[in-house]
Coordinates of all heavy atoms in Angstrom, one line a residue:
R62 N 7.9 13.7 1.5 CA 6.6 14.5 1.5 C 7.0 15.9 0.9 O 7.9 16.6 1.2 CB 6.1 14.8 2.9 CG 4.9 15.7 3.0 CD 4.6 16.1 4.5 NE 3.5 17.0 4.6 CZ 3.6 18.2 5.1 NH1 4.8 18.7 5.5 NH2 2.5 18.9 5.3
T99 N 1.2 16.9 -0.5 CA 0.3 17.8 0.2 C -0.3 18.8 -0.8 O 0.5 19.6 -1.4 CB 1.0 18.5 1.3 OG1 1.6 17.6 2.2 CG2 0.0 19.4 2.1
V100 N -1.6 18.8 -1.0 CA -2.2 19.7 -2.0 C -2.8 20.9 -1.2 O -3.6 20.7 -0.2 CB -3.3 19.0 -2.8 CG1 -3.8 20.0 -3.9 CG2 -2.8 17.7 -3.4
A101 N -2.4 22.1 -1.5 CA -2.8 23.3 -0.6 C -2.6 24.6 -1.4 O -2.0 24.7 -2.4 CB -1.9 23.3 0.6
I145 N -2.0 11.2 -0.9 CA -2.4 12.6 -1.1 C -2.8 13.2 0.3 O -3.7 12.6 1.0 CB -3.5 12.8 -2.1 CG1 -3.1 12.3 -3.5 CG2 -4.0 14.3 -2.1 CD1 -2.0 13.1 -4.1
E146 N -2.2 14.2 0.7 CA -2.5 14.9 2.0 C -3.2 16.2 1.7 O -2.7 17.0 0.8 CB -1.3 15.2 2.8 CG -1.5 15.8 4.2 CD -0.2 16.0 5.0 OE1 0.8 16.5 4.3 OE2 -0.2 15.8 6.2
I147 N -4.3 16.5 2.3 CA -5.1 17.7 2.0 C -4.8 18.8 3.0 O -5.1 18.8 4.2 CB -6.7 17.4 2.1 CG1 -7.0 16.2 1.1 CG2 -7.5 18.6 1.7 CD1 -6.5 16.4 -0.3
W148 N -4.1 19.8 2.4 CA -3.8 21.0 3.1 C -2.6 20.9 4.1 O -2.1 19.7 4.3 CB -5.0 21.7 3.7 CG -4.9 23.2 3.6 CD1 -4.4 24.1 4.5 CD2 -5.3 24.0 2.5 NE1 -4.5 25.4 4.1 CE2 -5.0 25.4 2.8 CE3 -5.8 23.7 1.2 CZ2 -5.3 26.4 1.9 CZ3 -6.0 24.7 0.3 CH2 -5.8 26.1 0.7
N149 N -2.2 22.0 4.6 CA -1.1 22.0 5.6 C -1.6 22.9 6.8 O -1.8 24.1 6.6 CB 0.2 22.6 5.0 CG 1.3 22.7 6.0 OD1 1.8 21.7 6.5 ND2 1.7 23.9 6.3
E150 N -1.7 22.3 7.9 CA -2.0 23.0 9.2 C -3.3 23.9 9.1 O -3.2 25.1 9.4 CB -0.8 23.7 9.7 CG 0.4 22.8 10.0 CD 1.5 23.4 10.7 OE1 1.6 24.7 10.8 OE2 2.4 22.7 11.1
P151 N -4.4 23.4 8.6 CA -5.6 24.2 8.5 C -6.2 24.6 9.8 O -7.1 25.4 9.8 CB -6.6 23.3 7.7 CG -6.1 21.9 8.1 CD -4.6 22.0 8.2
N152 N -5.7 24.0 10.9 CA -6.2 24.4 12.2 C -5.6 25.7 12.7 O -5.9 26.2 13.8 CB -5.9 23.3 13.3 CG -4.5 22.9 13.4 OD1 -3.7 22.9 12.4 ND2 -4.0 22.7 14.7
L153 N -4.7 26.3 11.9 CA -4.0 27.5 12.3 C -4.4 28.6 11.2 O -4.2 28.3 10.0 CB -2.5 27.4 12.3 CG -1.9 26.2 13.1 CD1 -0.4 26.2 13.0 CD2 -2.4 26.3 14.5
Y156 N -2.1 29.4 8.3 CA -1.9 28.5 7.2 C -3.3 28.2 6.5 O -3.3 27.3 5.7 CB -1.3 27.2 7.6 CG 0.2 27.4 8.0 CD1 0.6 27.7 9.3 CD2 1.2 27.4 7.0 CE1 1.9 27.9 9.6 CE2 2.5 27.6 7.2 CZ 2.9 27.9 8.5 OH 4.2 28.1 8.8
W157 N -4.3 28.9 6.9 CA -5.6 28.7 6.2 C -6.1 30.0 5.7 O -6.3 30.3 4.6 CB -6.6 28.0 7.2 CG -7.9 27.9 6.7 CD1 -9.0 28.6 6.9 CD2 -8.4 26.8 5.8 NE1 -10.1 28.2 6.3 CE2 -9.8 27.1 5.6 CE3 -7.8 25.7 5.2 CZ2 -10.5 26.2 4.8 CZ3 -8.6 24.9 4.4 CH2 -9.9 25.2 4.2
P163 N -13.1 24.2 10.6 CA -13.2 22.8 10.3 C -14.2 22.5 9.2 O -14.0 21.5 8.4 CB -13.5 22.2 11.6 CG -13.1 23.2 12.6 CD -13.3 24.5 12.0
Y166 N -12.9 23.5 5.8 CA -11.8 22.5 5.5 C -12.5 21.2 5.1 O -12.1 20.5 4.1 CB -10.9 22.3 6.6 CG -9.9 21.2 6.4 CD1 -8.8 21.3 5.6 CD2 -10.2 19.9 7.0 CE1 -8.0 20.2 5.3 CE2 -9.3 18.8 6.8 CZ -8.2 19.0 6.0 OH -7.4 18.0 5.7
G167 N -13.5 20.8 5.8 CA -14.2 19.5 5.5 C -14.8 19.5 4.1 O -14.8 18.5 3.4
L170 N -12.0 18.9 1.8 CA -11.6 17.5 2.0 C -12.5 16.6 1.2 O -12.1 15.7 0.5 CB -11.6 17.2 3.5 CG -11.3 15.7 3.8 CD1 -9.9 15.3 3.4 CD2 -11.5 15.5 5.3
V186 N -6.1 9.1 0.8 CA -6.3 10.5 1.1 C -6.2 10.8 2.6 O -6.9 10.1 3.4 CB -7.7 11.0 0.6 CG1 -7.9 12.5 1.0 CG2 -7.7 10.9 -0.9
V187 N -5.3 11.6 3.0 CA -5.0 11.9 4.4 C -5.5 13.3 4.8 O -5.3 14.3 4.0 CB -3.5 11.9 4.7 CG1 -3.2 12.2 6.1 CG2 -2.9 10.5 4.3
A188 N -6.2 13.4 5.9 CA -6.8 14.6 6.3 C -6.0 15.1 7.5 O -5.2 14.4 8.2 CB -8.2 14.4 6.8
G189 N -6.1 16.4 7.8 CA -5.5 17.0 9.0 C -4.3 17.8 8.7 O -4.4 19.0 8.5
S190 N -3.1 17.2 8.7 CA -1.9 17.9 8.7 C -1.9 19.0 9.7 O -1.5 20.1 9.5 CB -1.7 18.5 7.3 OG -0.3 19.0 7.1
L191 N -2.3 18.6 10.9 CA -2.6 19.5 12.0 C -1.4 20.0 12.8 O -0.6 19.2 13.2 CB -3.6 18.9 12.9 CG -4.9 18.5 12.3 CD1 -5.8 17.7 13.3 CD2 -5.7 19.7 11.8
G192 N -1.2 21.3 12.9 CA -0.1 21.8 13.7 C -0.4 21.8 15.2 O -1.5 21.8 15.6
P193 N 0.7 21.8 16.0 CA 0.5 21.7 17.4 C 0.1 23.1 18.0 O 0.9 24.1 17.8 CB 1.9 21.3 17.9 CG 2.8 21.9 16.9 CD 2.1 21.7 15.6
M202 N -7.0 26.1 16.5 CA -7.7 25.0 17.2 C -6.7 23.9 17.5 O -5.9 23.6 16.6 CB -8.9 24.5 16.4 CG -10.1 25.5 16.2 SD -11.4 24.7 15.3 CE -12.1 23.6 16.5
P204 N -5.4 20.1 17.7 CA -5.6 19.0 16.8 C -6.9 18.2 17.3 O -7.7 17.8 16.4 CB -4.3 18.2 16.9 CG -3.3 19.2 17.0 CD -3.9 20.2 18.0
F207 N -10.1 20.2 16.5 CA -10.3 20.3 15.0 C -10.8 19.0 14.5 O -11.8 19.0 13.7 CB -9.0 20.8 14.3 CG -9.2 21.2 12.9 CD1 -9.4 22.6 12.6 CD2 -9.2 20.3 11.9 CE1 -9.6 23.0 11.3 CE2 -9.3 20.7 10.5 CZ -9.5 22.1 10.3
A208 N -10.1 17.9 14.8 CA -10.6 16.6 14.4 C -12.0 16.3 14.9 O -12.8 15.7 14.1 CB -9.6 15.5 14.8
L211 N -14.5 17.9 12.7 CA -14.6 17.2 11.5 C -15.6 16.1 11.6 O -16.4 15.8 10.7 CB -13.3 16.8 11.0 CG -12.4 17.7 10.2 CD1 -11.1 17.0 9.8 CD2 -13.0 18.3 9.0
Y219 N -14.4 10.7 4.4 CA -13.6 11.3 3.3 C -12.1 11.4 3.6 O -11.5 12.2 3.0 CB -14.2 12.7 3.0 CG -15.7 12.6 2.7 CD1 -16.7 13.1 3.6 CD2 -16.1 12.0 1.5 CE1 -18.0 13.0 3.3 CE2 -17.5 11.9 1.2 CZ -18.4 12.4 2.1 OH -19.7 12.3 1.8
F220 N -11.7 10.5 4.4 CA -10.2 10.4 4.6 C -9.9 8.9 5.1 O -10.7 8.3 5.7 CB -9.7 11.4 5.6 CG -10.3 11.4 6.9 CD1 -9.7 10.7 8.0 CD2 -11.4 12.2 7.2 CE1 -10.3 10.7 9.2 CE2 -12.0 12.2 8.5 CZ -11.4 11.4 9.5
D221 N -8.7 8.5 4.7 CA -8.2 7.2 5.0 C -7.2 7.2 6.2 O -6.9 6.1 6.7 CB -7.4 6.6 3.8 CG -8.3 6.5 2.6 OD1 -9.4 5.9 2.7 OD2 -8.0 7.2 1.6
A222 N -6.8 8.4 6.6 CA -5.9 8.5 7.8 C -5.9 10.0 8.2 O -6.4 10.8 7.4 CB -4.5 8.1 7.4
L223 N -5.4 10.3 9.4 CA -5.2 11.6 9.9 C -3.7 11.9 10.0 O -2.9 11.0 10.2 CB -5.9 11.9 11.2 CG -7.4 12.1 11.2 CD1 -7.9 12.2 12.6 CD2 -7.7 13.4 10.4
S224 N -3.3 13.2 9.8 CA -1.9 13.5 10.0 C -1.8 14.7 11.0 O -2.7 15.5 11.1 CB -1.3 13.8 8.7 OG -2.0 14.9 8.0
V225 N -0.7 14.8 11.6 CA -0.4 15.8 12.6 C 1.1 16.1 12.7 O 1.9 15.3 12.2 CB -0.9 15.3 14.0 CG1 -0.1 14.2 14.6 CG2 -1.0 16.5 15.0
H226 N 1.4 17.3 13.2 CA 2.8 17.7 13.3 C 3.2 17.9 14.8 O 2.9 18.9 15.3 CB 3.0 19.0 12.5 CG 2.7 19.0 11.1 ND1 2.4 20.1 10.3 CD2 2.5 17.9 10.3 CE1 2.2 19.7 9.1 NE2 2.2 18.4 9.0
L250 N -5.7 13.3 20.3 CA -6.2 13.1 18.9 C -6.6 11.7 18.7 O -7.7 11.4 18.1 CB -5.2 13.5 17.9 CG -5.5 13.3 16.4 CD1 -6.7 14.2 16.1 CD2 -4.3 13.7 15.6
I264 N -2.4 7.3 12.1 CA -1.9 8.7 12.1 C -0.6 8.7 11.5 O 0.3 7.9 11.7 CB -1.9 9.2 13.6 CG1 -3.3 9.3 14.2 CG2 -1.2 10.6 13.6 CD1 -3.3 9.8 15.6
L265 N -0.4 9.7 10.6 CA 0.9 10.0 10.0 C 1.4 11.3 10.6 O 0.7 12.3 10.8 CB 0.8 10.2 8.5 CG 0.6 9.0 7.6 CD1 -0.7 8.3 7.7 CD2 0.8 9.3 6.1
T267 N 3.4 14.0 9.5 CA 4.0 14.4 8.3 C 5.0 15.6 8.4 O 5.6 16.0 7.4 CB 2.8 14.8 7.3 OG1 1.9 15.7 8.0 CG2 2.1 13.6 6.8

Side-chain angles (χ1 to χ4, degrees):
R62 174 189 181 246
T99 307
V100 189
I145 300 294
E146 182 181 43
I147 303 305
W148 216 262
N149 177 65
E150 300 189 350
N152 60 317
L153 311 180
Y156 288 94
W157 176 261
Y166 171 76
L170 173 65
V186 175
V187 178
S190 193
L191 302 170
M202 290 183 72
F207 193 92
L211 276 182
Y219 304 110
F220 57 92
D221 302 301
L223 280 175
S224 56
V225 67
H226 300 163
L250 177 62
I264 292 177
L265 283 69
T267 48

